[in-house]
Amino acid sequence: MNSTQTGLRYEVRQLAEEAFHLRLISGHGDGPDLSEYQIVYQGKPRHLPLEQARLFLTNLLYRSQIH
């Protein structure tokens, strides 16, 4: 894994921790592939590419601040 991907994984993990703390997601963790991250949202595990996971979590956190 290169340093860009490592940094992205760290950022996704931090966003997921925040979303978990706010109870927006019910779980998270490394996916089966190094380029994926697992997010449990509405009771369903989703394996997302790191970029997509970051976008998903960023949007979820943003929407929670609006409401």
Side-chain angles (χ1 to χ4, degrees):
M1 184 173 353
N2 63 33
S3 63
T4 302
Q5 196 172 20
T6 302
L8 182 55
R9 179 175 294 283
Y10 178 78
E11 182 181 355
V12 168
R13 186 172 285 125
Q14 295 303 310
L15 290 167
E17 282 292 328
E18 184 177 351
F20 181 76
H21 178 71
L22 295 172
R23 298 181 181 180
L24 301 173
I25 61 173
S26 56
H28 65 93
D30 293 329
D33 185 351
L34 288 177
S35 64
E36 290 184 341
Y37 200 78
Q38 178 178 312
I39 299 168
V40 182
Y41 179 66
Q42 296 180 339
K44 299 176 186 169
R46 300 161 190 236
H47 297 273
L48 303 171
L50 292 174
E51 286 285 344
Q52 190 175 353
R54 178 174 62 177
L55 182 61
F56 174 79
L57 290 166
T58 301
N59 287 336
L60 190 62
L61 289 164
Y62 176 75
R63 284 183 297 181
S64 76
Q65 291 174 355
I66 292 174
H67 295 100

